[in-house]
Amino acid sequence: MAGSGGQEPGGDGTILEALCFPEQQADGGLGVQSPGPELLVCLFCSESAPLPQKDSLLKHLLLEHKLVIADVRLIANLPKYMLYWKGRFLEQPVADFCSVIKTNSAGPADKQEEYFLLCDVLPEDRTLREKLQQKRLEEVLEQQQKERNDCSFHRVCMFCSEEFSGNRSSLLNHMAREHSFSIGLPDNIVFCSEFLDTLQNKLDNLQCLYCEKEFRDKTTLKDHMRKKAHRRINANNHQYDRFYVINYLELGKTWEEVQSEDDRELVEDDEEDDWSDWQANPVSAVCLFCDHQSETMDELYSHMKDAHTFDLHQLKTELDLRFYQQVKLVNFIRRQIHQSRCYGCQQRFDSKADLMQHLDREAHVMKLPDTSTWDQPQYYFPTYENDALLCTLSESDEDESGEQTDFPVIAEDISDLRALKQSSVLNHLLKHS
């Protein structure tokens, strides 16, 4: 299986980090571009301002119309939000929708002023914000999928002259592996080209990507980023927020809040949960021997059995493999195939095609080496970081059918405790300590 990890460092084919499956190709190139500046309109008059200058319009709303919009930064599409409420305020008085706050309420009436707060306490406002959030999330996920499937990507590495074409993951993995510069997993990023343009512009302006300090020349900047370990982006710079999918996931939450949220607080009685609107994403697990992808595990197992005469269920039964042994076996086979080496006889080949011919000709597909060869701690770690096959492995056939198996607990035999103590390995260690 050819991964986007590229050739491994060193001549022995050692894999130092998880590889990544190439994304499934799709027809057509990238069709959706990041949105340009939009116009914000005042809710009461003809005043307007470009979206980047929203603060000036919000100030205008406060000073001229005594209106404050709560949590503006969490509104997914502020221009559409403003247009909606402009129309509603033409239909009904603003006091019908907003909380009214009186200043100097204890003073005389002529000294009092009324301010209006538009917030999601109003069900209509909450619904509007949720719809805008859902729409933006759908657009971002669609954009991300197009970028993942886009094969027209072409770019030069920011740190060396090497060119990359095809899928964006090849460049991102190269920068992480060869230059110790990682902006995150490719599957977590959206508007990737614009993201890379932003970083490239900073480097062209001789600006450190982490501390954002400017330098007099490229050599000084390069030495600074290397010595200070500043080959990373500044997580506190919110300019980068729009390039990470996690920032679009939940209404009113930043990526930090999403990550730190305690899932236990979200668990309620299963009987009260409503999963009717759940839309599961396809698994898209990849075959052990070729680039075939299947949306269900039954399809994948059938493909490997029919196309490659490989039966993982049979091996699990014959060898009585527990869950973690299955994990290590899959990672072992993945690694051997990636290195064009037969896992049955350890013979190495010049290409994956030669290896596949050998496996078929010598009937080595179902031939495993001694258990001690692959049942090693190093194979706990996935060969491919996005290997969906690992997520579907089960402890036993009963687990897959949903039946619970009761295992007997066998007590330790201590009938001859004196003999057990005399033969203990601890005695040998104590004598030679």
Side-chain angles (χ1 to χ4, degrees):
M1 177 66 59
S4 63
Q7 187 171 351
E8 304 87 346
D12 59 353
T14 302
I15 298 177
L16 300 181
E17 62 180 20
L19 305 172
C20 186
F21 285 121
E23 302 294 347
Q24 190 173 6
Q25 296 182 356
D27 295 333
L30 194 62
V32 178
Q33 301 297 328
S34 57
E38 298 181 71
L39 197 65
L40 297 174
V41 296
C42 176
L43 305 183
F44 303 95
C45 65
S46 59
E47 188 77 15
S48 63
L51 182 58
Q53 300 175 18
K54 67 177 184 297
D55 289 344
S56 63
L57 188 63
L58 295 176
K59 181 179 179 181
H60 164 80
L61 285 172
L62 174 63
L63 298 179
E64 300 297 329
H65 305 290
K66 305 294 189 294
L67 183 129
V68 176
I69 300 176
D71 297 320
V72 173
R73 66 182 184 88
L74 300 179
I75 299 175
N77 191 323
L78 187 57
K80 289 186 177 180
Y81 179 89
M82 303 281 275
L83 280 174
Y84 176 86
W85 282 116
K86 185 178 181 69
R88 293 293 282 137
F89 289 167
L90 290 174
E91 299 172 354
Q92 293 178 236
V94 63
D96 290 352
F97 305 103
C98 299
S99 302
V100 180
I101 304 173
K102 289 187 177 181
T103 61
N104 195 22
S105 58
D110 59 339
K111 298 294 184 180
Q112 295 179 3
E113 287 187 297
E114 288 187 346
Y115 285 83
F116 302 96
L117 176 64
L118 182 59
C119 64
D120 60 1
V121 172
L122 179 70
E124 184 176 351
D125 186 87
R126 177 72 181 182
T127 300
L128 174 61
R129 293 178 185 234
E130 289 177 346
K131 287 182 178 179
L132 293 175
Q133 173 76 12
Q134 181 65 27
K135 180 64 176 176
R136 182 177 68 168
L137 177 59
E138 292 173 358
E139 292 173 350
V140 166
L141 292 179
E142 181 181 357
Q143 169 71 13
Q144 184 203 35
Q145 188 62 39
K146 288 181 179 180
E147 292 183 13
R148 292 174 62 183
N149 295 334
D150 178 38
C151 295
S152 61
F153 181 88
H154 180 82
R155 201 175 187 99
V156 177
C157 174
M158 294 186 291
F159 304 103
C160 65
S161 58
E162 189 169 352
E163 296 185 14
F164 293 86
S165 299
N167 192 277
R168 60 182 185 165
S169 60
S170 59
L171 172 59
L172 299 183
N173 290 334
H174 162 81
M175 292 194 297
R177 183 179 61 251
E178 301 298 333
H179 304 291
S180 300
F181 177 78
S182 175
I183 58 176
L185 296 177
D187 284 350
N188 294 339
I189 293 173
V190 68
F191 305 122
C192 183
S193 294
E194 185 180 342
F195 195 179
L196 294 174
D197 287 339
T198 301
L199 298 176
Q200 185 66 61
N201 288 337
K202 288 183 178 292
L203 293 178
D204 292 342
N205 292 326
L206 304 179
Q207 188 176 18
C208 174
L209 298 178
Y210 180 71
C211 68
E212 302 181 345
K213 179 181 177 181
E214 294 184 1
F215 294 84
R216 64 177 182 271
D217 54 55
K218 288 187 176 181
T219 301
T220 307
L221 171 62
K222 181 179 178 181
D223 290 342
H224 163 80
M225 294 180 65
R226 177 178 57 84
K227 293 178 181 179
K228 298 290 186 179
H230 280 190
R231 285 192 173 181
R232 50 197 171 118
I233 64 173
N234 186 353
N236 295 321
N237 187 338
H238 295 293
Q239 179 185 10
Y240 303 129
D241 288 353
R242 66 182 305 268
F243 302 120
Y244 292 92
V245 175
I246 194 172
N247 288 303
Y248 299 90
L249 293 183
E250 291 193 50
L251 176 64
K253 292 183 180 178
T254 64
W255 66 270
E256 294 156 314
E257 292 170 327
V258 172
Q259 282 191 328
S260 62
E261 187 175 67
D262 188 352
D263 289 339
R264 289 172 297 182
E265 297 178 359
L266 303 178
V267 177
E268 296 179 358
D269 190 352
D270 292 340
E271 296 179 357
E272 298 179 1
D273 288 342
D274 181 13
W275 298 87
S276 58
D277 60 346
W278 173 260
Q279 296 180 353
N281 294 323
V283 176
S284 295
V286 182
C287 173
L288 288 170
F289 304 97
C290 67
D291 295 332
H292 175 81
Q293 298 188 30
S294 298
E295 293 188 357
T296 68
M297 299 317 301
D298 288 339
E299 292 177 1
L300 181 63
Y301 286 131
S302 297
H303 163 79
M304 291 194 292
K305 188 174 181 179
D306 297 338
H308 306 289
T309 67
F310 181 82
D311 192 337
L312 184 58
H313 287 305
Q314 179 181 333
L315 289 175
K316 181 175 68 172
T317 303
E318 291 179 351
L319 301 177
D320 191 24
L321 300 179
R322 312 304 296 169
F323 171 75
Y324 287 110
Q325 288 179 309
Q326 296 174 56
V327 169
K328 288 187 279 190
L329 178 60
V330 168
N331 289 330
F332 169 75
I333 294 178
R334 291 277 196 211
R335 189 169 303 186
Q336 303 305 302
I337 297 296
H338 173 76
Q339 296 174 342
S340 299
R341 180 187 290 118
C342 174
Y343 51 82
C345 66
Q346 295 299 299
Q347 182 178 351
R348 191 156 189 173
F349 297 87
D350 295 331
S351 67
K352 180 181 174 182
D354 294 340
L355 168 62
M356 298 310 298
Q357 292 179 4
H358 165 82
L359 289 172
D360 183 58
R361 182 177 61 251
E362 302 296 332
H364 281 186
V365 174
M366 291 291 287
K367 179 183 177 182
L368 296 181
D370 187 77
T371 305
S372 61
T373 302
W374 55 266
D375 195 3
Q376 298 290 332
Q378 60 179 310
Y379 297 116
Y380 277 125
F381 304 98
T383 302
Y384 293 89
E385 63 186 14
N386 53 344
D387 193 350
L389 177 57
L390 296 175
C391 302
T392 65
L393 301 175
S394 61
E395 187 75 15
S396 64
D397 292 334
E398 287 76 9
D399 291 342
E400 295 176 358
S401 62
E403 299 178 4
Q404 186 173 0
T405 304
D406 293 327
F407 297 96
V409 178
I410 303 176
E412 181 182 4
D413 183 8
I414 56 173
S415 56
D416 193 350
L417 189 57
R418 179 175 299 178
L420 182 63
K421 290 181 177 180
Q422 291 176 350
S423 61
S424 173
V425 70
L426 293 176
N427 292 325
H428 177 77
L429 295 175
L430 290 173
K431 292 177 181 178
H432 293 83
S433 60

